């Protein structure tokens, strides 16, 4: 849209984690552009951000964030450090190098065709010089990442993949210039520059996969800078940064807010949802004197909390510390490609050196010996190896992405493949964390409109379940007045001057159920009971997993009865209840000490140490931010099906990666003896290199069709 | 064969032109969101 440059404008970048499809992109952009004061809005689907330009006089960031939240896209502003992302710059630079090397490779190849088709000596020299003119500057520019990495490794006294690569580039360039100057027959400019091109393509693909993982990490950074309402002793209130909280301060927590630090309730009474911290599925009462933990959600009424432990000392920080320790303790998994590289670099150097020494000894011709050892270095160069794993991971990642599964680390695919035991958390993972009404009244029952009206006024999970049940039945809420929520008891209101109640059975005057409704004046009482609702397909997914031979466990912080109910519903007999975060973590450690590879699936903060201790970890998108940051994989949607999908995709991907590495090895087994025996001409080197790279890439793409 | 003296520079110049266009594309951010742009092509308005 046209932008008037005289108009004052402000720019903000928002992160929208749930942005994952074209439809979302359109909805978000459309909503923003139609809003008052917004000049332009552009979504970047790759890293789930939207850049908005707006007129600060007409609107501000909070209004926009609020608006997006209402249409189902919770957004967070990005911090300044995120915005000047050094990785984005690196990615552009890498693409530029791919472009330069691609341009040079194509042109040099064109000239080489002239040489191969049998140009006479003078023409060959001319073509070689033209090739040198294009290839040398391109090699110097595009090859820089390999040279610097190799130099760094050499200075640290080690070998990495980039050492043989750099050596091959340097030797082939030097040797080719020498041959050209001596009017020789073979120059390797084409092979050298093509090598760089293929390797850079592999690296670029890898970087794109990592860009997605990075956007999940940014979500964490965006969390800092939240505010809290501080209450002074004289009753004054002021918004302060959560990071500035000190023990002794008092803060007001409105219903719907999370408590920012550990503390004690000093005024007010409410119900607290502790599920994220402890895994308990039902709310706990809070009244003056109750100890509360950071991260607890306040449900029914405002409470004033005196902070006892803030920042580094709170339970939240303790859990974070446990997570850190577990992550450091996780034995570094040696990835397939790294293991291949470790074998690769030394053997290539030895081979090239042997070829040189052998030919020098047999023929005594130094020039020929160098040429042959350069041919060995070029032909063994790991184009196929460098492409094998990144291409497989990219295809797998995009398959997962389409299924709403976000992979934060390509290595997780390999680890996922080794899993033999799966541990589930209960609340929020196997169940969706919300109770479900099991004994509803008939749809046309006259009490429904009143129940719906009362239930809608509370955030208590039972009330939410009732209110959802009412809206499923299309109940129109009754017009009630004076709705009051009495924390720990229930909701009271009046309808035509009659009092109506919804709440605890004992308070309402009922003898059964978990919630009851009553009209005290006319002795009408209805009671309701609730059950935990499993995630859709949870039972089938568990059944399939068991059939595939995985050993399943449930670890929960909830009460034994609630755990037993779910253990039965999912048919997982190995269930443990009332576990602390530490106990969950220890259980995982024990399993891995027995030599098991464990996949942990959990959503709560209390799961995060266990998630970090597991071989691989998954979290639903509804999980706490800290939990998501610990997990290797985050999945969206209500169903538990992504667990199966991820395991399947990982199995295929790892099989493809192994095959690709196998193909690359087979290629070397055939090509190396040919090179050592001196049969490799620049034409053969070029064909072999592109041939193996293409085969490996096609093999990676095979994953798409096989699902 | 003297024609090659002209053809080689011409082909290199054409290649360089393509490269310059590519560099411009990168600089102007056209490669920043490949994921989003593939869908954006299908939107009818804006």
């Amino acid at each position: 849209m046209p932008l008037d440059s005289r108009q004052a404008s402000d720019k903000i970048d928002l992160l929208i984690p749930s942005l994952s499809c074209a439809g979302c992109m359109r909805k978000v952009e459309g909503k923003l552009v139609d809003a008052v004061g917004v000049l332009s809005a552009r979504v970047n689907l790759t890293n789930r951000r939207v850049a908005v330009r707006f007129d600060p006089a007409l609107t501000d960031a909070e209004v926009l964030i609020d608006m997006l939240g209402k249409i189902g896209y919770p957004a967070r502003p990005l911090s300044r450090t995120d915005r000047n992302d050094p990785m984005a710059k690196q990615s552009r630079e890498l693409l530029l190098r791919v472009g330069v090397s691609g341009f040079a490779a194509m042109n040099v190849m064109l000239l080489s065709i002239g040489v191969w088709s049998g140009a006479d000596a003078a023409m060959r020299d001319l073509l070689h010089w033209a090739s040198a003119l294009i290839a040398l500057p391109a090699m110097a520019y595009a090859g820089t990442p390999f040279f610097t990495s190799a130099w760094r490794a050499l200075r640290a006294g080690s070998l990495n993949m980039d050492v043989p690569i750099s050596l091959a580039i340097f030797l082939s360039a030097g040797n080719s210039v020498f041959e050209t100057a001596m009017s020789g027959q073979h120059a390797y400019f084409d092979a050298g520059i093509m090598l760089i091109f293929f390797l850079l393509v592999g690296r670029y693909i890898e970087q794109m996969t990592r860009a997605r993982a990075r956007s999940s990490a940014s979500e964490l950074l965006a969390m800092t800078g939240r505010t809290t309402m501080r209450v002074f002793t004289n009753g004054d209130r002021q918004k302060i940064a959560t990071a500035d909280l000190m023990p002794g301060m008092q803060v007001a927590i409105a219903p719907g807010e999370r408590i920012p630090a550990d503390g004690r309730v000093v005024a007010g009474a409410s119900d607290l949802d502790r599920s994220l911290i402890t895994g308990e599925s039902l709310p706990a009462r809070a009244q003056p004197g109750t100890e509360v933990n950071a991260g607890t959600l306040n449900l029914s009424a405002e409470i004033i909390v005196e902070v006892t432990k803030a920042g580094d000392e709170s339970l939240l920080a303790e859990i974070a510390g446990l997570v850190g320790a577990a992550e450091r303790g996780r034995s570094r998994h040696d990835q397939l490609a790294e293991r291949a590289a470790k074998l690769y670099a030394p053997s290539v150097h030895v081979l090239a050196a042997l070829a040189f020494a052998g030919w020098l000894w047999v023929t005594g011709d130094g020039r020929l010996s160098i040429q042959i050892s350069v041919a060995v270095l070029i032909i063994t160069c790991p184009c196929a190896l460098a492409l094998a794993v990144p291409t497989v991971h990219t295809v797998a990642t995009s398959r997962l992405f389409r299924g709403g599964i976000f992979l934060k680390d390509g290595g997780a695919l390999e680890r996922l493949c080794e899993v033999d035991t799966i541990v589930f958390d209960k609340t929020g993972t196997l169940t969706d964390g919300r109770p479900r009404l099991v004994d509803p009244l008939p749809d046309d029952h006259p009490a429904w409109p009143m129940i719906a009206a009362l239930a809608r006024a509370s955030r208590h999970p039972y009330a939410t379940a009732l209110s959802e049940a009412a809206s499923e039945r299309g109940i129109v809420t009754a017009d009630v007045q004076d709705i009051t929520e009495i924390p720990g008891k229930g909701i009271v209101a009046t309808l035509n001057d009659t009092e109506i109640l919804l709440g605890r059975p004992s308070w309402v005057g009922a003898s059964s159920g978990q919630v009851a409704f009553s009209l005290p004046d006319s002795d009408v009482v209805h009671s309701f009971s609730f059950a935990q609702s499993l995630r859709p397909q949870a039972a089938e997914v568990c059944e399939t997993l068991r059939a595939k031979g995985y050993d399943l466990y449930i670890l929960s912080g909830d009460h034994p009865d609630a755990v037993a109910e779910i253990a039965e519903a999912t048919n997982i007999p190995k269930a443990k209840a009332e576990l602390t975060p530490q106990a969950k973590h220890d259980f995982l450690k024990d399993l891995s000490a027995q030599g098991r590879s464990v996949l942990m699936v959990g959503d709560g903060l209390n799961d995060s140490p266990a998630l970090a201790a597991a071989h691989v970890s998954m979290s639903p998108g509804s999980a706490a931010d800290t939990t998501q940051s610990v997990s290797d994989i985050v999945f969206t949607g209500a169903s538990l099906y992504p667990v199966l999908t991820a395991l399947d995709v990982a199995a295929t991907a790892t099989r493809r990666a192994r095959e690709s590495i196998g193909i690359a090895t087979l290629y070397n087994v055939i090509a190396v003896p040919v090179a050592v025996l001196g049969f490799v001409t620049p034409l053969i080197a070029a064909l072999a290199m592109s041939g193996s790279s293409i085969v490996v890439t096609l093999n990676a793409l095979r994953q798409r069709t096989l699902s | 064969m003297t024609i090659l003296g002209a053809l080689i520079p011409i082909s290199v110049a054409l290649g360089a032109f393509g490269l310059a266009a590519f560099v411009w594309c990168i600089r102007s951010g056209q490669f920043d969101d490949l994921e989003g742009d593939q869908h954006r092509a299908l939107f009818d308005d804006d």
Side-chain angles (χ1 to χ4, degrees):
Chain A
M1 70 164 21
L3 198 72
D4 184 353
S5 57
R6 285 162 303 172
Q7 203 167 5
S9 77
D10 225 343
K11 187 171 176 276
I12 185 174
D13 285 317
L14 300 174
L15 184 78
I16 307 178
S18 51
L19 201 64
S20 60
C21 62
C24 314
M25 178 162 89
R26 197 162 193 197
K27 249 185 269 173
V28 167
E29 281 187 355
K31 186 80 187 169
L32 283 172
V33 169
D34 289 345
V36 184
V38 174
L39 305 172
S40 72
R42 190 166 176 94
V43 166
N44 183 327
L45 196 58
T46 312
N47 44 29
R48 293 184 264 162
R49 291 168 187 198
V50 57
V52 190
R53 294 183 74 85
F54 60 93
D55 183 348
L58 294 175
T59 186
D60 64 38
E62 299 226 342
V63 173
L64 298 176
I65 290 174
D66 194 48
M67 197 176 67
L68 288 174
K70 276 189 193 134
I71 57 165
Y73 297 99
R76 294 170 190 159
L78 282 175
S79 68
R80 196 167 296 278
T81 43
D82 280 341
R83 235 175 301 152
N84 305 327
D85 192 349
M87 288 284 277
K89 214 178 198 173
Q90 246 180 45
S91 167
R92 277 185 179 193
E93 216 176 85
L94 191 57
L95 191 58
L96 199 59
R97 289 183 207 278
V98 171
V100 169
S101 58
F103 152 78
M106 281 188 285
N107 279 282
V108 173
M109 198 51 73
L110 211 62
L111 299 174
S112 295
I113 290 172
V115 178
W116 298 335
S117 56
D120 61 20
M123 181 56 65
R124 193 181 59 219
D125 286 352
L126 175 69
L127 291 172
H128 276 168
W129 279 121
S131 305
L133 207 65
I134 301 168
L136 291 178
M139 278 173 165
Y141 172 69
T144 314
F146 304 107
F147 306 149
T148 46
S149 154
W151 178 239
R152 226 177 290 132
L154 284 178
R155 256 204 327 206
S158 65
L159 282 180
N160 61 11
M161 268 299 218
D162 293 332
V163 176
I165 292 171
S166 303
L167 200 65
I169 296 171
F170 267 117
L171 280 179
S172 67
N175 179 253
S176 303
V177 170
F178 175 76
E179 287 295 321
T180 306
M182 302 293 285
S183 187
Q185 276 196 21
H186 297 313
Y188 286 101
F189 293 116
D190 48 359
I193 190 72
M194 202 159 67
L195 187 88
I196 297 179
F197 175 65
F198 280 131
L199 292 171
L200 284 175
V201 168
R203 263 185 214 200
Y204 182 68
I205 292 174
E206 219 179 338
Q207 185 135 18
M208 287 210 302
T209 314
R210 239 183 284 141
R212 243 174 229 151
R214 201 174 68 237
S215 67
S216 353
S218 316
E219 279 161 45
L220 257 195
L221 285 172
M223 277 186 59
T224 53
R226 294 242 170 115
T227 57
T228 305
M229 186 63 77
R230 183 178 173 191
V231 182
F232 292 92
T233 34
N234 61 8
D236 283 353
R237 293 181 170 214
Q238 190 197 350
K239 263 192 181 176
I240 63 164
T242 303
D244 295 338
L245 279 179
M246 302 276 279
M249 285 183 183
Q250 297 197 345
V251 290
I253 318 290
E257 277 183 10
R258 287 197 187 274
I259 297 174
D262 290 2
R264 200 177 50 244
V265 178
V266 289
S270 183
D271 297 293
L272 301 180
D273 176 356
R274 296 159 52 86
S275 58
L276 219 50
I277 312 289
T278 61
E280 287 167 61
S281 50
L282 290 181
R285 296 257 1 236
Q287 53 203 23
T290 310
E291 302 279 339
V292 292
N293 294 122
T296 308
L297 181 65
N298 183 16
L299 291 174
S300 26
E302 183 182 88
I303 47 171
I304 309 286
V305 172
E306 182 173 307
V307 177
T308 50
K309 288 173 184 171
D312 297 346
E313 295 163 22
S314 66
L315 179 69
L316 212 63
E318 236 171 78
I319 290 180
L322 211 51
V323 167
E327 279 188 328
R328 278 190 296 278
R330 181 189 265 177
S331 60
R332 233 182 74 74
H333 184 76
D334 228 359
Q335 290 183 12
L336 212 53
E338 284 170 27
R339 278 187 304 222
K342 262 186 199 153
L343 274 174
Y344 178 83
S347 46
V348 165
H349 289 148
V350 169
L351 258 175
L354 281 180
F356 175 74
W359 277 89
L360 192 65
W361 184 57
V362 173
T363 62
D365 182 348
R367 187 172 152 192
L368 179 70
S369 311
I370 287 187
Q371 239 182 23
I372 285 169
S373 66
V374 166
V376 169
L377 273 177
I378 287 182
I379 207 111
T380 53
C381 236
C383 290
L385 212 54
L387 285 171
V389 176
T391 45
V392 166
H393 282 176
T394 305
V395 175
T397 313
S398 73
R399 270 180 74 190
L400 290 173
F401 188 76
R402 241 168 268 146
I405 306 166
F406 305 104
L407 191 66
K408 288 170 45 189
D409 171 17
L413 283 173
E414 283 170 29
R415 281 183 276 132
L416 208 49
C417 228
E418 294 155 3
V419 163
D420 50 23
T421 306
I422 304 176
V423 175
F424 290 102
D425 165 51
K426 182 184 73 72
T427 314
T429 304
L430 285 175
T431 71
D432 61 11
R434 295 177 310 179
R436 182 172 42 86
L437 181 63
V438 289
D439 50 359
L441 295 169
D443 289 3
D444 51 357
H445 197 281
W448 262 124
M450 291 181 273
I451 295 171
L454 289 172
R456 221 165 58 169
S458 168
R459 289 167 193 270
H460 193 287
Y462 287 159
T464 314
L466 273 173
S467 147
E468 271 171 15
S471 54
E472 274 167 27
R473 289 170 176 75
I475 309 283
V476 181
T477 55
D479 190 14
V480 299
Q481 285 89 40
D482 309 326
I483 300 181
T484 324
E485 180 163 15
I486 304 166
K489 297 208 166 89
I491 309 149
V492 59
T494 54
L495 177 71
N496 305 332
D497 297 327
T498 329
E499 192 173 53
I500 53 175
L501 305 172
L502 180 75
R504 248 167 225 276
S506 58
W507 177 66
V508 169
S511 51
S512 62
Q514 280 134 332
V515 167
F517 167 78
S518 93
L519 290 163
D521 292 353
S522 50
D523 276 351
V524 175
V525 174
H526 300 290
S527 39
F528 301 99
S529 9
F530 299 84
Q532 305 168 73
S533 48
L534 280 180
R535 269 181 188 269
Q537 297 160 314
E540 293 104 289
V541 168
C542 292
E543 195 50 58
T544 317
L545 289 174
R546 206 180 359 263
K548 288 188 170 200
Y550 294 104
D551 199 9
L552 306 182
Y553 289 87
I554 297 177
L555 298 187
S556 176
D558 205 356
H559 299 290
D561 293 345
V563 177
E565 182 191 329
I566 293 302
E568 198 181 338
T570 53
N571 194 14
I572 303 178
K574 294 176 194 163
K576 288 182 173 285
E578 288 185 320
L579 295 178
T580 60
Q582 177 77 50
K584 283 192 178 190
H585 168 262
D586 293 348
F587 190 82
L588 267 272
K589 282 276 177 210
D590 285 350
L591 281 178
S592 64
Q594 292 164 26
R596 309 256 202 133
S597 298
V598 184
L599 163 64
M600 169 87 199
V601 190
D603 78 316
L605 267 179
N606 60 327
D607 298 314
S608 45
L611 288 167
H615 195 54
V616 208
S617 47
M618 281 182 90
S619 293
S622 55
D625 301 301
T626 324
T627 316
Q628 290 195 13
S629 75
V630 173
S631 300
D632 298 309
I633 301 159
V634 174
F635 61 92
T636 56
S639 163
L640 203 59
Y641 214 78
V643 175
L644 265 183
T645 317
L647 286 166
D648 278 352
V649 170
T652 335
T654 307
R655 208 176 317 133
R656 293 285 162 271
R658 291 231 169 86
E659 282 169 10
S660 290
I661 289 178
I663 293 170
T665 313
L666 185 73
Y667 151 80
N668 274 337
V669 168
I670 297 169
V672 168
V674 178
V676 170
L677 294 176
F679 292 123
V680 168
T681 60
L683 174 62
I684 291 177
L687 286 178
M689 206 150 45
S690 25
S692 67
S693 298
I694 289 167
V695 169
V696 163
T697 308
L698 289 179
N699 188 48
L701 291 175
R702 218 147 61 83
Q703 290 175 89
R704 269 180 210 269
T705 49
L706 281 187
S707 64
Chain B
M1 276 303 177
T2 43
I3 188 71
L4 275 177
L7 284 180
I8 292 175
I10 288 174
S11 89
V12 171
L14 283 175
F17 176 74
L19 182 67
F22 181 64
V23 170
W24 171 77
C25 285
I26 295 176
R27 290 266 160 83
S28 59
Q30 296 185 35
F31 282 87
D32 286 359
D33 180 23
L34 297 174
E35 193 81 39
D37 289 340
Q38 67 187 8
H39 298 298
R40 215 180 276 278
L42 302 175
F43 293 173
D44 4 293
D45 50 28
D46 76 86

